[in-house]
Amino acid sequence: MNKHLSMMRYEAKTLVRDPFQFLMLLFPFLMLGLSTLAFPAIIRSIGEQNEAASKITMLLLLIMLMSFGTIITGAMGSFMLLEQKDEKTINTIAVTPVGISGYLAVKLIYLYILATVSIMLIMFGTAFFAKETYSVGGVSLFDNIKTWELIVYAFVSALFAPALALFQASAARNKVEGFALVKGTGIVALLPMLIILDSFKGGLQYVLGIFPNFWSIKALFNSLMGTSTQSDLSFIWYMVTGTVYSLAILVVSYKVFLKKVQF
């Protein structure tokens, strides 16, 4: 246990020294700046011309805000793992007392914590500094949601970050392939935006369920909008499904990654 805690402390110390980790540290503040300054300006400028277009834009930006905290953390995590594969440093870790499996477990927990904190900073910060911007009919969408729902969303949504990092690191052989894969899987951050369409408000919404981040985003979106249909699950069941799905990807990718790096 002590060796794992020591490694966790080491990872924390490298936050400002490692470029990828430093970017992860800055990312939530960058997104918070966008959500409280840039996005409101975009919404207001469109609203002056077309109120309906302003509402659609606001919802799309809000869903993007919910998606990117997880996706970016997962992408950066995959680059860190691929860098260690390329430089063979992971082979050195194999002969330490922690071993590859122990190191990987610490790394995944570390990524999960960073993703959770990032999502909380982004969502709670946006609610605190700019909640009136995200309004429908003069009522802020953030007034429709409870604090515990935002917290549950952060914990569940963040599970996809280490799962995505491992999946990408397992599928790619090097950083070049990893970069191409990250660009391709970036669509995962955008597809949940389809939930604002009427055609995806019924049973067809579950087609999007193949993307793990759909479940937590859909749950929070329904709470923010204060609406649901007969085809919708409850907030908790969306979250339970998203948790199970992300954990399944995490376990499978963990085993595949270990198989590829162990000799």
Side-chain angles (χ1 to χ4, degrees):
M1 184 65 178
N2 288 335
K3 58 190 177 184
H4 291 90
L5 290 175
S6 296
M7 183 164 286
M8 185 69 77
R9 285 194 293 268
Y10 171 77
E11 290 289 343
K13 289 179 181 178
T14 61
L15 266 174
V16 295
R17 289 180 291 182
D18 182 85
F20 286 120
Q21 295 191 57
F22 188 62
L23 281 174
M24 283 195 288
L25 190 65
L26 292 179
F27 174 74
F29 298 101
L30 173 62
M31 289 302 299
L32 189 56
L34 290 174
S35 70
T36 57
L37 297 173
F39 291 177
I42 293 171
I43 294 168
R44 283 193 298 268
S45 66
I46 296 175
E48 294 173 358
Q49 307 297 325
N50 190 320
E51 188 173 339
S54 177
K55 178 183 175 181
I56 293 172
T57 301
M58 177 199 67
L59 294 178
L60 290 174
L61 290 175
L62 195 55
I63 294 172
M64 186 175 74
L65 199 65
M66 289 189 276
S67 299
F68 271 44
T70 301
I71 299 299
I72 297 298
T73 304
M76 291 179 179
S78 68
F79 278 127
M80 286 192 290
L81 291 171
L82 286 170
E83 184 176 34
Q84 290 175 327
K85 280 175 65 176
D86 284 356
E87 296 178 356
K88 308 297 183 183
T89 54
I90 203 157
N91 295 339
T92 304
I93 295 169
V95 298
T96 65
V98 175
I100 295 178
S101 59
Y103 169 77
L104 199 54
V106 170
K107 198 77 170 179
L108 295 177
I109 293 171
Y110 178 64
L111 283 174
Y112 176 68
I113 292 172
L114 282 178
T116 303
V117 172
S118 294
I119 294 167
M120 285 189 177
L121 279 173
I122 293 168
M123 299 308 298
F124 279 104
T126 302
F128 184 80
F129 291 110
K131 75 172 187 175
E132 298 306 326
T133 298
Y134 304 92
S135 302
V136 174
V139 178
S140 172
L141 299 183
F142 285 99
D143 286 339
N144 295 330
I145 195 165
K146 302 176 179 65
T147 300
W148 70 266
E149 290 177 321
L150 272 180
I151 294 173
V152 171
Y153 170 76
F155 280 106
V156 174
S157 181
L159 280 172
F160 187 46
L164 181 62
L166 260 187
F167 172 78
Q168 292 171 336
S170 300
R173 289 177 293 183
N174 50 53
K175 284 187 288 187
V176 175
E177 287 189 5
F179 182 72
L181 188 60
V182 166
K183 288 178 65 177
T185 54
I187 195 171
V188 176
L190 302 177
L191 282 176
M193 292 180 178
L194 293 174
I195 63 177
I196 72 169
L197 300 177
D198 289 338
S199 56
F200 284 98
K201 290 181 180 177
L204 191 60
Q205 66 176 286
Y206 298 108
V207 172
L208 302 176
I210 190 173
F211 304 101
N213 60 335
F214 158 79
W215 301 96
S216 56
I217 289 174
K218 176 63 175 177
L220 189 64
F221 183 79
N222 281 358
S223 293
L224 287 167
M225 296 299 293
T227 58
S228 62
T229 68
Q230 290 184 341
S231 300
D232 287 332
L233 302 176
S234 66
F235 178 88
I236 293 299
W237 278 111
Y238 274 120
M239 291 299 182
V240 169
T241 306
T243 299
V244 173
Y245 194 4
S246 292
L247 287 176
I249 294 174
L250 184 60
V251 170
V252 172
S253 298
Y254 180 83
K255 292 180 178 179
V256 172
F257 186 84
L258 284 180
K259 187 176 181 180
K260 287 189 173 184
V261 298
Q262 287 179 332
F263 301 97

